Amino acid sequence: MDATFWALIGLIIFLAILVYLKVPAMMGRSLDERAANIAKELDEARTLREEAQALLAEYHRKRKEAEKEASEIVASAQREAAALLTEAKEKSEDYIVRRNKLAEQKIAQAEADAVNQVRASAVEIAVAAAGTLIADKMDAKTAGEMFKSSLEQVKHNLN
């Protein structure tokens, strides 16, 4: 008998031992387990991806809502600032009108009172100077008050 024959017999015996020890079944089971693990990991990855996409969409939605709310706050603050400015202008004009009427009354009284002409002249000068100072101070003060008021309102709205 030839060496090739004995090699064939050895190969057949080796394969028979492998089949007897159920090596192909173990290899199949191992490969099936590995395939199952890979499928499970793919499912987990798909689930995580879907969750991440949902979170991303939610964050985009929240960002858009926050931007919309911020623009509404800014628009509201601008409307309130305009209203405050209009109100301050009206109050200033009313104050000036009242001050002008008061000054006219004092001037008329001073003209009627010939005896107190010197005192009337002093009153006119004092009233004119006070009107100028008040007008100058009122514009700066009103502007400062309006700025403070607007700033407080914006702070309040942003909180």
Side-chain angles (χ1 to χ4, degrees):
M1 303 245 171
D2 190 349
T4 310
F5 174 74
W6 289 110
L8 178 65
I9 296 285
L11 180 64
I12 291 172
I13 292 173
F14 177 72
L15 291 176
I17 291 173
L18 287 179
V19 169
Y20 178 74
L21 294 177
K22 299 180 183 178
V23 172
M26 286 191 301
M27 287 177 59
R29 225 177 301 119
S30 174
L31 289 174
D32 288 342
E33 288 175 4
R34 184 158 183 210
N37 285 340
I38 290 172
K40 181 179 173 184
E41 288 176 2
L42 285 174
D43 287 340
E44 289 176 5
R46 188 176 305 112
T47 303
L48 289 174
R49 179 174 173 246
E50 290 170 358
E51 288 174 1
Q53 286 177 341
L55 282 173
L56 180 64
E58 182 179 346
Y59 286 130
H60 282 298
R61 181 185 54 77
K62 285 183 180 180
R63 188 199 69 193
K64 286 180 183 178
E65 287 176 1
E67 287 174 354
K68 181 181 176 183
E69 186 177 337
S71 66
E72 289 173 357
I73 288 171
V74 168
S76 174
Q78 288 175 343
R79 284 191 306 271
E80 290 177 15
L84 287 173
L85 181 62
T86 303
E87 182 181 339
K89 283 182 181 179
E90 290 174 1
K91 285 182 180 179
S92 296
E93 290 172 0
D94 289 344
Y95 181 76
I96 290 171
V97 167
R98 281 185 282 145
R99 291 300 292 177
N100 284 340
K101 286 182 182 179
L102 181 64
E104 289 173 1
Q105 288 174 357
K106 285 187 179 185
I107 290 171
Q109 183 181 3
E111 289 175 353
D113 192 8
V115 176
N116 295 323
Q117 190 174 14
V118 173
R119 187 170 48 154
S121 297
V123 169
E124 286 179 325
I125 292 171
V127 168
T132 305
L133 286 175
I134 289 173
D136 289 342
K137 288 183 179 180
M138 188 61 182
D139 289 340
K141 184 178 179 183
T142 302
E145 289 175 1
M146 286 190 315
F147 177 75
K148 287 179 183 176
S149 176
S150 296
L151 184 61
E152 289 298 321
Q153 189 65 29
V154 168
K155 284 181 181 178
H156 181 269
N157 285 342
L158 289 178
N159 287 332

